[in-house]
Amino acid sequence: MNKSDSSHAFTPELARSIYRKAYLINRTDQRFRAMLTNGELAVAYYPVRGQEVTAAAALSALQPEDYLVTTYRGLHDSLAKGIPSRLLWAEFAGKRTGTCKGKGGPMHITYPPTGVMVTTGIVGSGIPIANGLAMAAQIRGENRVAVASFGDGASNIGAFHEALNMASVWKLPVVFLCQNNQYAEHTTLAAGTSVTSIAERAAGYEMPGVSCDGLDPEMMYQTMAAAVARARAGDGPTLVEAHTYRLQGHIFGADYSYIPKEELKAAEERASMMRLRQRISERQVTDSDLAQIEQEVDAEIEDAVAFALKSDPPDPDEIRFDIYETEQAA
């Protein structure tokens, strides 16, 4: 990857945008965990702390009309792809004003207006779905790219291998984004995966496989931009392995003492917002610019939380709807 490639230039405007997304993800995750701790909300939640930069930079390479399929640990992807904070918070709170009328919750966020088509609760299940979306775009002659975002554990699932094979056969406009956060639930990569580089698995399907530092915003963006451009040009899929880190337990409240303390400390330093702030300030973005972004995002989150809390839950009768295409709520 040539970091000087002008077609994927890391401009000050782009740096600001990525910082805004990463800060929004970080503060949303932080606030949601605090509300769970305080008992203000009660729902299953899979934290994304540590993976903010990965999603913010990678998904900045997409157009609004491009498709995204993500996983139950997908808050970062959902926000990076543009789901409005109000609608996301309302869905997390189980309110009728949410993206899925309060019926999906954190594990099943869907919002087609921003291209977030599916959030799956089954490991690896979203990868072939992204193929289907890519195939639909290909058949219709649309200039769309589909992205399947998943973790390292999903690369051991049969659906991963089946999807990569068919995407290569049909030259689908799809990018397989493996956010390798080093742990599949409680299992280290080395203990559950036969290869040290997930990207190398692409060779078996005759597609490019690229590994990058998912905590480096410029490298993550440029790697993903090249893969997206390749797919959009009709040259087929790419497997991108982004090395990132999960700084919490598998699910909120879970023990994560199995992560070595020194390893966790080093990862916290690499994935910190302070480190990202420093990197972004090196791209001709001033401290005052960053402070303004932080102020705006903090206000956005406060507004979204208030909106979610005051919104009504779905009517019990709503359970009958959104099952069949022809059904309409009264």
Side-chain angles (χ1 to χ4, degrees), residues 22 25 59 61 68 76 79-80 98 102 108 126 133 139 141 158 175 185 192 204 207 229 241 267 283 298 312 327:
I25 294 164
L59 300 185
L68 173 68
H76 57 331
L79 288 174
H108 299 287
L133 293 165
I139 291 171
V175 177
E185 295 196 10
M207 72 173 69
E241 178 186 13
R283 307 302 300 189
D298 289 342
D312 294 325
E327 284 189 333

Side-chain angles (χ1 to χ4, degrees), residues 68-153:
L68 173 68
V69 178
T70 185
T71 74
Y72 51 83
R73 192 185 311 284
L75 176 143
H76 57 331
D77 290 342
S78 294
L79 288 174
K81 194 58 173 71
I83 291 183
S85 288
R86 276 189 165 199
L87 304 187
L88 189 76
W89 269 97
E91 189 60 38
F92 271 41
K95 301 301 181 69
R96 66 172 62 184
T97 52
T99 57
C100 300
K101 306 178 187 177
K103 296 188 284 187
M107 290 181 66
H108 299 287
I109 298 294
T110 299
Y111 194 62
T114 61
V116 180
M117 306 305 291
V118 184
T119 297
T120 66
I122 300 173
V123 174
S125 64
I127 307 173
I129 294 174
N131 270 6
L133 293 165
M135 176 176 278
Q138 186 182 68
I139 291 171
R140 293 170 181 161
E142 298 171 342
N143 194 29
R144 277 175 159 169
V145 172
V147 171
S149 177
F150 53 93
D152 45 287

Side-chain angles (χ1 to χ4, degrees), residues 23-309:
Y23 185 81
L24 174 63
I25 294 164
N26 177 270
R27 290 302 188 262
T28 299
D29 173 81
Q30 184 182 82
R31 182 65 180 276
F32 194 65
R33 287 187 284 109
M35 293 181 74
L36 290 173
T37 300
N38 296 336
E40 296 174 84
L41 294 173
V43 67
Y45 176 61
Y46 296 82
V48 298
R49 181 170 168 250
Q51 297 180 225
E52 300 95 334
V53 176
T54 306
L59 300 185
S60 290
L62 298 180
Q63 295 299 317
E65 65 271 15
D66 289 334
Y67 294 126
L68 173 68
V69 178
T70 185
T71 74
Y72 51 83
R73 192 185 311 284
L75 176 143
H76 57 331
D77 290 342
S78 294
L79 288 174
K81 194 58 173 71
I83 291 183
S85 288
R86 276 189 165 199
L87 304 187
L88 189 76
W89 269 97
E91 189 60 38
F92 271 41
K95 301 301 181 69
R96 66 172 62 184
T97 52
T99 57
C100 300
K101 306 178 187 177
K103 296 188 284 187
M107 290 181 66
H108 299 287
I109 298 294
T110 299
Y111 194 62
T114 61
V116 180
M117 306 305 291
V118 184
T119 297
T120 66
I122 300 173
V123 174
S125 64
I127 307 173
I129 294 174
N131 270 6
L133 293 165
M135 176 176 278
Q138 186 182 68
I139 291 171
R140 293 170 181 161
E142 298 171 342
N143 194 29
R144 277 175 159 169
V145 172
V147 171
S149 177
F150 53 93
D152 45 287
S155 71
N156 298 322
I157 299 295
F160 166 86
H161 297 275
E162 294 167 4
L164 264 65
N165 179 62
M166 296 315 300
S168 183
V169 169
W170 292 327
K171 286 193 176 297
L172 296 179
V174 60
V175 177
F176 300 106
L177 173 60
C178 177
Q179 297 192 34
N180 182 354
N181 64 17
Q182 314 305 315
Y183 287 87
E185 295 196 10
H186 305 84
T187 305
T188 63
L189 182 70
T193 304
S194 62
V195 295
T196 56
S197 171
I198 292 170
E200 289 182 358
R201 287 182 161 171
Y205 305 102
E206 295 194 355
M207 72 173 69
V210 186
S211 288
C212 71
D213 182 355
L215 301 179
D216 180 329
E218 184 173 0
M219 181 182 293
M220 181 73 260
Y221 169 76
Q222 291 182 333
T223 300
M224 194 67 177
V228 169
R230 182 175 185 275
R232 207 182 302 281
D235 295 329
T238 302
L239 172 60
V240 174
E241 178 186 13
H243 291 278
T244 184
Y245 208 91
R246 192 192 78 204
L247 297 176
Q248 300 268 297
H250 174 60
I251 189 170
F252 176 75
D255 172 67
Y256 53 103
S257 60
Y258 52 87
I259 302 177
K261 290 183 179 179
E262 289 304 312
E263 177 183 315
L264 185 61
K265 180 181 178 181
E268 286 176 339
E269 292 175 356
R270 291 189 61 239
S272 71
M273 289 302 296
M274 183 178 298
R275 185 170 185 262
L276 174 63
R277 205 180 198 279
Q278 182 178 354
R279 281 178 175 268
I280 296 299
S281 66
E282 294 170 356
R283 307 302 300 189
Q284 300 177 14
V285 181
T286 66
D287 285 342
S288 60
D289 284 341
L290 296 176
Q292 182 177 353
I293 288 171
E294 292 162 358
Q295 184 177 9
E296 291 172 352
V297 167
D298 289 342
E300 177 181 326
I301 293 172
E302 289 302 318
D303 171 76
V305 171
F307 175 79
L309 293 178

Side-chain angles (χ1 to χ4, degrees), residues 103 315-323:
K103 296 188 284 187
D315 190 285
D317 193 52
E318 182 66 36
I319 197 172
R320 299 189 298 112
F321 300 102
D322 301 311
I323 299 172

